[in-house]
Amino acid sequence: MVRFAVPPVSNPGPSANSPFVSAIAIIPARYQSSRLPGKALADICGRPMIEHVYRRAAAARSIASVIVATDDERIHRVVRAFGGESRMTSSSHQSGTDRIAEVAAGLTCTVVVNVQGDEPLIEPAMIDEAVAPFLVDSSLMMSTLRRRIDDDADRQNPNVTKVVVDRDDFALYFSRAPVPFARANCPPAPAWRHVGLYVYRRDCLLRLAGLPPTDMERSEALEQLRALEHGIRIKAVETSFDSIGVDTPQDLERVRIALAARGGGLPGEPATARTGVAGR
């Protein structure tokens, strides 16, 4: 078992003056991955990737607590070893949404944040940005993030999901296609990359997990389209932050280099805590 000389994870959550304090982050984590098996436990600067994600989520001011939802005992044990909270879930889930919904069904929080387990560079402020609309809109059911696309290669890349929004920043559509289409001799509209961080009102998450897949969802292979097809509005908050999702060995090396350049640490962590190295 890998152990790290770091203190247990804790977060006092939002201040007592905050009108909203019941946001819980859940990180779905599987061991199996078609392109990078075991990536949740991959070493990054002496710690498993799942720990980087966990501690960054815990550093968000809007988050009261963090839970890893996994179907793998190895991930469960490692999370417990670094002081995190982990829940074992069914191995039959077809998506991360289904996995976090299983955990959320047993919680009493108002809002659930789905933090991807392969985003070890996620900024805590990104989570706060996505949660913020729930503080002022009691009718809001779901939110996510978007970042402006400046490189046309990203716009054309089907692995980069695009989102089109209305004037109130609600998503109109998500697509792998280069939307919105720019007709010749017409001024192009802004293009936005979808950042896969989701915030749900708990009841909305449980409802969504119980709905069958939809035609657009299957066609684009984008699960968030299920919400739109069933009339659930998604607030798409603009962010200036970026991150690197780890899907391939090449992505993993990019993250290692990026974190090493920052000293390999975590938000708010003293340098003396960075001891112990997990084998690759």
Side-chain angles (χ1 to χ4, degrees):
M1 180 181 294
V2 179
R3 294 187 181 277
F4 303 91
V6 292
V9 177
S10 63
N11 184 357
S15 68
N17 294 325
S18 172
F20 178 76
V21 294
S22 58
I24 293 180
I26 305 180
I27 306 170
R30 297 187 310 128
Y31 190 87
Q32 298 302 324
S33 171
S34 58
R35 288 182 286 182
L36 191 60
K39 66 181 179 179
L41 302 183
D43 170 69
I44 302 174
C45 298
R47 299 216 178 102
M49 179 162 65
I50 191 66
E51 182 177 2
H52 285 275
V53 179
Y54 191 106
R55 291 183 181 275
R56 286 179 173 273
R61 292 177 57 84
S62 57
I63 296 301
S65 62
V66 183
I67 302 170
V68 172
T70 185
D71 62 353
D72 191 274
E73 282 285 353
R74 290 163 291 190
I75 295 173
H76 179 69
R77 288 195 299 267
V78 166
V79 173
R80 297 291 295 274
F82 67 68
E85 183 177 355
S86 177
R87 305 275 181 90
M88 290 296 295
T89 60
S90 170
S91 60
S92 64
H93 292 310
Q94 299 299 307
S95 70
T97 302
D98 294 336
R99 194 172 305 285
I100 70 167
E102 179 184 336
V103 174
L107 302 176
T108 58
C109 61
T110 306
V111 165
V112 175
V113 183
N114 181 349
V115 179
Q116 301 300 312
D118 57 5
E119 293 274 354
L121 295 180
I122 188 170
E123 291 289 341
M126 296 173 73
I127 297 172
D128 293 333
E129 288 175 336
V131 171
F134 286 84
L135 302 179
V136 295
D137 186 353
S138 61
S139 68
L140 186 64
M141 291 291 109
M142 188 172 171
S143 72
T144 190
L145 295 176
R146 61 188 165 103
R147 189 173 189 273
R148 192 171 187 124
I149 295 176
D150 297 315
D151 185 347
D152 191 60
D154 286 341
R155 190 168 174 275
Q156 300 295 333
N157 186 349
N159 294 318
V160 175
T161 301
K162 276 69 68 175
V163 58
V164 179
V165 298
D166 66 15
R167 290 182 178 273
D168 293 319
D169 299 327
F170 282 94
L172 293 171
Y173 192 63
F174 297 87
S175 182
R176 298 182 182 277
V179 294
F181 177 76
R183 187 171 181 174
N185 302 318
C186 293
W192 302 97
R193 176 171 68 84
H194 177 227
V195 179
L197 172 75
Y198 298 98
V199 184
Y200 310 86
R201 211 164 286 279
R202 176 181 170 276
D203 291 346
C204 174
L205 169 62
L206 299 182
R207 176 193 168 204
L208 189 61
L211 294 173
T214 58
D215 292 341
M216 290 193 298
E217 174 187 356
R218 292 191 186 98
S219 178
E220 294 262 17
L222 295 175
E223 190 179 359
Q224 62 269 36
L225 290 173
R226 185 187 311 180
L228 293 187
E229 286 197 79
H230 284 281
I232 298 172
R233 301 181 77 199
I234 305 174
K235 189 82 166 183
V237 181
E238 181 180 356
T239 183
S240 60
F241 294 105
D242 204 358
S243 185
I244 301 175
V246 176
D247 293 313
T248 67
Q250 292 76 23
D251 294 335
L252 182 58
E253 283 306 310
R254 288 173 62 206
V255 167
R256 283 171 174 156
I257 292 169
L259 272 176
R262 302 179 188 181
L266 295 159
E269 177 193 63
T272 53
R274 296 196 292 272
T275 60
V277 177
R280 294 187 182 184

